[in-house]
Amino acid sequence: MKLWRTPFDRNPDAEPLGYIHIDKIRCKGCGFCAEYCPREVLHMGAELNYKGYKLAAIKDESKCLACGYCELICPEFAITLILNSNANKSEEKHPV
Amino acid sequence: MQIDDVTSYERSIAKYLRQDRLPHIWCAGCGIGPVLNCFLRAIDSAELNPDLVSVVSGIGCSGRVAGYVKLDSFHTTHGRAIPFATGLKLANPQLKTVVFSGDGDLVAIGGNHLIHAARRNIDMTVICINNFTYGMTGGQVGPTAPLDVRTATTPYGNFEPPFNLPWLLHASGASYIARWTVLHLHQLELTIVEALRRPGFSFIEVISPCPAIYGRMNKEPEGLDSLRNYIKRSVIKHGAGPRETAIDHKGPIVVGKFLDIDQPTLQDHLIGVAAKAKKPVKK
Amino acid sequence: MPDNGCLTGEFFMNGDNACAEGAISAGCRFFAGYPITPATEIAERMSRRLPVVGGTYIQMEDEIASMAAILGASWAGVKAMTSTSGPGFSLMMENIGLGIMLETPCVVVNIQRAGPSTGLPTLIGQQDIMQARWGSHGSYEIIALSPDSPQQMFDLTIKAFNLSEKYRLPVLIMSDEVVGHMSEKVVMPEIRTEDLFYREMPQKGAAGYLPYKTNGSLVPPMAIAGQGHHFHVTGLTHDERGYPVMTSRAQDQLITRLVDKIRLNADDIIMCNDYMMEGAEIVVVAYGITARIAQFAVKQAREQGIKAGCLQLVTLWPFAERRIGQLASQVKAFVVPEINRGQIVYEVERCACGRARTLLVPHSGGEVHKPAIISAAIRECHADR
């Protein structure tokens, strides 16, 4: 059994394991995703959506480990995690 | 870049959401969304046939859950989700009935139905989103609101002791009792899976922020303030005794799986009744 | 007893038991109730009979829960019933409204006792007639039937299930303590499948099913849970998808249809029994047990040469407006005996519209009218110039 921490020590140059899509219409800017992203992929940006909510935005997508917590905690069902099947598969993924 | 055709969102929950009704009515920072997310994932994880899952809700913010799930869903009257679901389940025991509602709906106006459903040990999963207040009507004091909190109807602080829900349910005869906060989402999902699979009455309390109404009056004006508070205060303690699970204004919030026992369900007893009834009468 | 477990033949039993047997014969397979005098016998008999015929009986924690449970059972595709008396009927009101809003077929039996409040638990009243019509909040139409004997308890219970399945709403049986507790001969015929009405349902798994899309008729087909339709229904004002819509336009469309499905079908629903109505100048309008006493008084009046007749309202709601309206221009007076201080009499007055005298013969409850009191009222109207 391998250590579950492995993904956090991934080679920083490796391709990200996932990409994040944020639905700008649904996002209400609660900040949950940005606060609890373990790799600080997300942050609260300056952009406002059509309702005037401050939108969550992607700070550094390259760090994403596809843990899926942002997708799970988003109260608005606004975040979609797109898994990158091209990423180096030899490295153990964090169990999603 | 090569990406998966199907995102995990689409794989897990998109098919169970009424996309045409989103964005939903809940405020920014509300905790109902993540709980619903966990529940929808749990349907697949528990390997349920979604055709046989019925969601019944009462009235209030959490009562609107039924309107966003693409399952057989019923938005009923205030407090009466459990008896409605009881009828549904007894009339068709194949159905998996899930009651999704809030603390005011389930414990105040529906309190009698809650304890009686637990007593009967009817096969039903109740997910109680506890935000300590009546959000939809503007933040009046709820039956679980800790002493001293301020609400729209307790401007000088709450003067009524709250219910300790795990204790109430334990005493009433439930088979499965757990509590998590909106931050413990992986645990919550696993718990809902367990609860859905557990025959008998299962009750899951989820402590959830209500930033726009309750939080605003209690120094947690953002959803995040509440979540940070949960990190500080929550203590995972599986199997905690019912007396330990009371929630007060500042102290620890004990979370975890408190009870998981196997006992005959109402359906088991009814099968016995039917067998007795159909036995030929001795002449 | 035939294989299906329904009783057939002649029996001597009270109205409550006959009601339960009617329900079994009508295909009712779910009963949720709460003990209350004088309706308890229905629940007791159902608790004994339902497990035999493959149904489910449950005693809920109160009448509110009973009413909610039968709505749930109906959405699971089972014909469901509850029974109660005045205090429990009051508790059921909110969920009767839910039944109307969700368009849920079910039957509610009210064995009326005298009120208000706890009143006379073991003695008769006919005092919930207006509550049956207007008890739940909001604007709606309801169907209420009023049996006068154990035989009618049996027959009308079957009729009530048929009406509720046909028009998709809770149907009320407004019986009373005397009819409920009176034992008489009850003939139970074999009920054939074609005698029973079952709600129209969409095909299992039909794509694009919308719960309140009516296709021109006033009653939409009803999906049941567990068939893969993944429908949503709500007590909020909704559109044909079942989704809440908070506009006056949606409210108007929905409420108009809910009211029209009863009003426009009133002729199909309304049942009246005529007794000695040929050439009647004085018509006693009565319902329930009072109709039988009225018939006795009418017979006496005819013997005395007074042209009296009795119109028994078997259907209380929707009210027999057209019939009373037609009679009003032909007769001299309506005599309305009721075991209350005036409820149906207002409806008769409204329909008579001043064309015929309307005389209430009230009774506060606890016993039925003495025929002499109704006879006196008939004579009083006869003496009018």
Side-chain angles (χ1 to χ4, degrees):
Chain A
M1 198 172 131
K2 288 183 181 169
L3 285 175
W4 67 273
R5 282 188 68 248
T6 312
F8 288 93
D9 303 330
R10 284 186 91 232
N11 173 6
D13 297 332
E15 259 194 73
L17 290 171
Y19 300 94
I20 307 292
H21 177 263
I22 298 168
D23 187 329
K24 291 182 181 177
I25 291 174
R26 292 185 189 174
C27 177
K28 290 180 187 160
C30 66
F32 288 6
C33 54
E35 175 95 1
Y36 294 105
C37 173
R39 296 275 286 184
E40 295 178 7
V41 173
L42 294 156
H43 72 139
M44 295 312 289
E47 194 190 341
L48 303 180
N49 75 356
Y50 77 115
K51 281 185 177 169
Y53 289 117
K54 204 182 226 185
L55 289 169
I58 290 152
K59 191 161 87 183
D60 184 358
E61 199 164 43
S62 67
K63 289 184 183 170
C64 180
L65 296 169
C67 73
Y69 197 69
C70 53
E71 197 186 72
L72 190 55
I73 202 172
C74 176
E76 309 299 326
F77 309 99
I79 296 182
T80 311
L81 171 69
I82 303 156
L83 296 178
N84 179 4
S85 47
N86 205 29
N88 189 349
K89 289 193 175 116
S90 65
E91 291 192 67
E92 187 74 11
K93 278 187 195 175
H94 176 67
V96 177
Chain B
M1 175 174 119
Q2 183 194 348
I3 60 169
D4 278 8
D5 294 342
V6 185
T7 65
S8 70
Y9 167 77
E10 282 169 333
R11 195 182 302 127
S12 57
I13 63 167
K15 57 181 181 288
Y16 297 137
L17 272 176
R18 292 189 192 275
Q19 304 282 348
D20 50 343
R21 296 206 62 212
L22 295 177
H24 53 58
I25 61 157
W26 300 312
C27 309
C30 176
I32 300 172
V35 182
L36 177 55
N37 200 325
C38 287
F39 164 64
L40 296 178
R41 283 160 197 259
I43 294 174
D44 281 347
S45 309
E47 293 167 350
L48 298 180
N49 175 359
D51 286 357
L52 293 179
V53 179
S54 287
V55 177
V56 185
S57 285
I59 295 295
C61 298
S62 331
R64 295 301 188 101
V65 163
Y68 296 112
V69 295
K70 207 192 276 177
L71 301 163
D72 294 339
S73 52
F74 303 89
H75 183 211
T76 64
T77 39
H78 196 19
R80 318 305 169 199
I82 287 181
F84 190 99
T86 300
L88 209 54
K89 176 73 187 179
L90 289 177
N92 182 357
Q94 306 293 317
L95 295 176
K96 193 83 217 173
T97 45
V98 180
V99 171
F100 228 113
S101 220
D103 53 313
D105 185 80
L106 286 171
V107 188
I109 189 167
N112 199 23
H113 309 310
L114 179 71
I115 57 175
H116 281 274
R119 170 180 67 81
R120 291 186 183 108
N121 197 29
I122 183 167
D123 188 17
M124 184 187 290
T125 299
V126 175
I127 299 173
C128 172
I129 295 167
N130 183 1
N131 56 11
F132 309 111
T133 196
Y134 290 83
M136 192 159 272
T137 48
Q140 294 77 24
V141 66
T144 50
L147 272 176
D148 299 332
V149 297
R150 281 163 56 93
T151 69
T153 47
T154 53
Y156 310 109
N158 180 21
F159 48 86
E160 291 179 38
F163 263 127
N164 171 354
L165 293 186
W167 195 2
L168 177 70
L169 271 293
H170 197 283
S172 305
S175 291
Y176 188 101
I177 304 168
R179 174 199 277 158
W180 295 105
T181 76
V182 163
L183 264 182
H184 299 87
L185 291 174
H186 288 303
Q187 293 95 324
L188 177 62
E189 187 188 327
L190 292 173
T191 295
I192 298 177
V193 171
E194 274 190 357
L196 289 172
R197 285 181 174 162
R198 151 74 51 221
F201 191 83
S202 45
F203 180 83
I204 302 165
E205 180 186 3
V206 188
I207 308 294
S208 166
C210 175
I213 313 277
Y214 177 83
R216 186 167 50 83
M217 288 184 268
N218 290 289
K219 297 177 185 157
E220 293 174 9
E222 301 284 335
L224 271 179
D225 299 328
S226 301
L227 296 196
R228 288 176 189 137
N229 193 1
Y230 298 159
I231 289 194
K232 264 186 271 171
R233 289 172 58 194
S234 59
V235 182
I236 298 180
K237 196 169 176 190
H238 293 300
R243 280 167 195 275
E244 302 170 67
T245 55
I247 299 176
D248 62 20
H249 193 18
K250 295 225 163 58
I253 301 174
V254 178
V255 295
K257 183 168 86 177
F258 303 137
L259 186 71
D260 185 1
I261 52 170
D262 202 8
Q263 53 184 352
T265 67
L266 179 62
Q267 208 57 43
D268 297 337
H269 290 301
L270 282 174
I271 290 168
V273 167
K276 279 181 204 162
K278 282 177 182 162
K279 223 187 271 177
V281 186
K282 279 179 200 160
K283 282 182 184 167
Chain C
M1 194 190 287
D3 293 343
N4 62 5
C6 301
L7 293 186
T8 52
E10 290 182 6
F11 297 88
F12 184 70
M13 61 167 62
N14 71 22
D16 283 352
N17 286 328
C19 175
E21 289 304 332
I24 302 276
S25 292
C28 171
R29 290 298 177 267
F30 184 86
F31 184 98
Y34 187 83
I36 187 166
T37 307
T40 314
E41 289 89 338
I42 301 180
E44 287 176 356
R45 192 167 184 105
M46 290 304 258
S47 73
R48 198 163 64 244
R49 293 281 283 126
L50 274 176
V52 180
V53 295
T56 307
Y57 166 87
I58 185 141
Q59 182 171 313
M60 296 300 285
E61 50 273 15
D62 55 28
E63 287 89 347
I64 303 174
S66 307
M67 188 62 215
I70 66 165
L71 295 180
S74 185
W75 278 100
V78 173
K79 290 187 182 179
M81 180 172 97
T82 184
S83 66
T84 190
S85 187
F89 197 54
S90 294
L91 288 180
M92 287 177 182
M93 280 302 151
E94 189 193 13
N95 282 311
I96 288 177
L98 179 68
I100 287 159
M101 200 60 154
L102 299 186
E103 301 184 51
T104 312
C106 60
V107 172
V108 179
V109 184
N110 180 358
I111 309 294
Q112 296 170 86
R113 63 196 224 188
S117 188
T118 313
L120 297 171
T122 57
L123 298 173
I124 187 178
Q126 290 183 321
Q127 309 182 336
D128 311 341
I129 306 300
M130 281 295 171
Q131 187 187 19
R133 176 64 188 88
W134 302 107
S136 195
H137 57 277
S139 188
Y140 63 92
E141 286 280 339
I142 193 92
I143 299 178
L145 310 177
S146 174
D148 69 353
S149 60
Q151 180 66 52
Q152 269 202 355
M153 284 289 264
F154 178 84
D155 297 339
L156 289 186
T157 304
I158 297 173
K159 181 78 184 170
F161 272 101
N162 283 348
L163 288 171
S164 78
E165 294 284 327
K166 189 171 180 186
Y167 294 108
R168 280 189 66 180
L169 83 168
V171 171
L172 315 177
I173 298 179
M174 302 299 290
S175 184
D176 51 60
E177 184 274 331
V178 169
V179 172
H181 282 165
M182 160 205 292
S183 287
E184 278 184 347
K185 185 169 94 168
V186 180
V187 182
M188 299 183 193
E190 192 174 336
I191 305 295
R192 296 158 303 167
T193 342
E194 54 265 36
D195 298 330
L196 298 179
F197 199 94
Y198 202 79
R199 65 191 78 159
E200 191 191 336
M201 290 203 287
Q203 271 193 327
K204 189 176 173 177
Y209 166 73
L210 297 177
Y212 295 108
K213 193 171 169 63
T214 54
N215 296 325
S217 87
L218 289 165
V219 187
M222 179 174 172
I224 58 172
Q227 302 275 307
H229 294 291
H230 297 183
F231 59 88
H232 176 61
V233 292
T234 172
L236 289 163
T237 295
H238 46 264
D239 59 12
E240 60 182 20
R241 297 171 300 173
Y243 291 0
V245 181
M246 300 295 104
T247 63
S248 70
R249 192 166 157 265
Q251 170 78 0
D252 184 55
Q253 280 180 349
L254 175 63
I255 301 307
T256 308
R257 184 173 62 76
L258 291 183
V259 167
D260 278 356
K261 76 176 177 183
I262 304 304
R263 284 196 188 158
L264 300 184
N265 290 304
D267 289 343
D268 177 48
I269 299 165
I270 292 173
M271 294 170 288
C272 295
N273 279 348
D274 289 10
Y275 180 82
M276 293 191 168
M277 284 291 286
E278 308 80 29
E281 286 176 353
I282 293 154
V283 172
V284 184
V285 181
Y287 52 91
I289 188 66
T290 316
R292 292 175 71 173
I293 296 148
Q295 284 165 7
F296 185 79
V298 163
K299 201 172 151 205
Q300 278 186 331
R302 286 270 180 177
E303 282 162 8
Q304 293 163 11
I306 303 174
K307 284 184 178 167
C310 176
L311 181 72
Q312 181 191 354
L313 302 172
V314 179
T315 310
L316 291 173
W317 307 112
F319 190 69
E321 291 174 357
R322 196 182 299 173
R323 186 75 203 278
I324 300 281
Q326 283 167 351
L327 284 172
S329 48
Q330 298 163 11
V331 305
K332 204 162 146 189
F334 291 111
V335 173
V336 187
E338 307 185 73
I339 307 180
N340 56 51
R341 304 304 299 187
Q343 294 192 11
I344 279 289
V345 68
Y346 296 124
E347 286 294 305
V348 178
E349 259 174 13
R350 177 175 69 84
C351 300
C353 209
R355 288 173 290 173
R357 183 183 174 189
T358 306
L359 181 65
L360 168 68
V361 187
H363 193 304
S364 298
E367 60 180 11
V368 295
H369 286 82
K370 292 191 169 57
I373 300 171
I374 301 175
S375 299
I378 294 172
R379 281 198 303 276
E380 184 191 328
C381 290
H382 180 67
D384 264 358
R385 290 292 146 202

